[in-house]
Amino acid sequence: MAAKRKSAGAARQGEPAMRRTAPDFYESLPRFTAFSSLMDPGLYRPLPTTWWLGVADVVGSQQQIGLGRYKAVNAAGAATIAAVSNALGRRAFPFVFGGDGASFAIAPEDVDTARDALAATAVWVREALQLELRTALLPVAAVRDRGLDVRVARYAPSPHVSYAMFSGGGLPWAEAAMKAGDYAVAPAEPGSQPDLTGLSCRWQEIRPRHALMLSLVLAPQHSGDAPAFRQLVQEILHSLEISAEVARPMQDEGPQMHGPWAGLDLELRAVPGSRKSRFWRKLRLVARSIPEYLIYRTGLRVGAFDPAVLRHEIVGNTDFRKYDDALRMTLDCTEVFADQLEAQLAAAEAQGICHFGLERQLAAQLTCISPPVPGSGHMHFIDGAGGGYAAAAARLKGRAASVGAVVPSNP
């Protein structure tokens, strides 16, 4: 008999609501819109010492990607963000998607809620995706006790969404602590179900306009972001702006949608229900997706919904570049550009400035989190479809191991 599904993150009855800090730290952060200013230290603010960090990653993600399960691996990472976001009532909080996992920060009054969401997500990932998700929650004070910090900036690629950027060296230490078994969040009871409303992967793989999709992970050789490393990042970002041989992975016309009968498996797994009801749930989901598919493909405007506006918003809202003590980007580029970038990074590595990992692949993929109420705040995470950030991070770690460095792993 199937275990009864429990929803994580729901408010506990009988418990008084904790007073929120005022003003809210993350909400009060100014948004910056020029990614080229990413390495400006003045954009970053230290997390309050009372805050907590959450980290999660898929165990053995590289092996799973090698088996062709990159969509499931990405789904596990995005599910972590969706579960915490829904548990917090979709209130804004700083997070970063890393391909095979995620990292985030929360206020002290949200720790129990986030713990429940993580615990249920680990169960869902195991039962629905047949993957192992390890998770941890730890206080920011523990990071600062090690002489490190966690600083946050808020990058807005469009007027509708913003994504957190992290610096200070604290996240890599938190990830290493999680992998060592410290601060672990115990999985919830079997059958527990996080609220994954909005999690979807209906889009076809994105093919490059140039030769390949390049996943990049670039980290400083030493803890923190030294001036030489900041300068290197600035040079790379400038080369991206001026070169005709590289572009963002999402084309202006937006992604292509799967047919109404395809690409729904993730949403189906995210909806609670027994195995016996799976057929009827899938039938309802397909029936609902048919008009959505037709409207999107034909471009027909229906009431206030305009598919052309949605396509434009998807392009603008897409998270294809980020910083979490490491620069992570997915790029559409030529082989020549990839070769030149690799040579530039190898030279910087030889000078003791950085470690890096590159993964070349023939497509990128899109995993999305959309609010339950139609609006413009939908978020879209791009990763390479042939290993992506997880493979690039593994290459980076291989280089770092030769000098015994401690560098950011894939979260």
Side-chain angles (χ1 to χ4, degrees), residues 172 175 219-222 355 396-397 400 405-409:
E175 294 155 13
Q221 275 199 26
H222 307 287
H355 288 301
L396 182 151
K397 285 191 289 184
V406 178
V407 295
S409 59

Side-chain angles (χ1 to χ4, degrees), residues 31-40 43-44 154-158 165 234 237 241 321:
R31 295 164 173 81
F32 72 98
T33 58
F35 196 79
S36 58
S37 61
L38 172 73
M39 300 308 292
D40 179 358
L43 294 173
Y44 293 80
R154 197 169 181 181
Y155 168 61
S158 81
M165 308 285 128
Q234 294 284 51
L237 296 181
E241 289 182 352
R321 51 188 181 178

Side-chain angles (χ1 to χ4, degrees), residues 347-403:
E349 186 176 57
Q351 297 171 31
I353 297 173
C354 69
H355 288 301
F356 71 96
L358 297 174
E359 181 68 13
R360 307 181 190 212
Q361 51 240 300
L362 297 178
Q365 66 171 10
L366 196 63
T367 306
C368 308
I369 301 176
S370 301
V373 178
S376 301
H378 38 90
M379 298 178 290
H380 308 274
F381 308 112
I382 283 190
D383 195 10
Y389 292 132
R395 295 181 186 278
L396 182 151
K397 285 191 289 184
R399 291 176 173 272
S402 64
V403 295

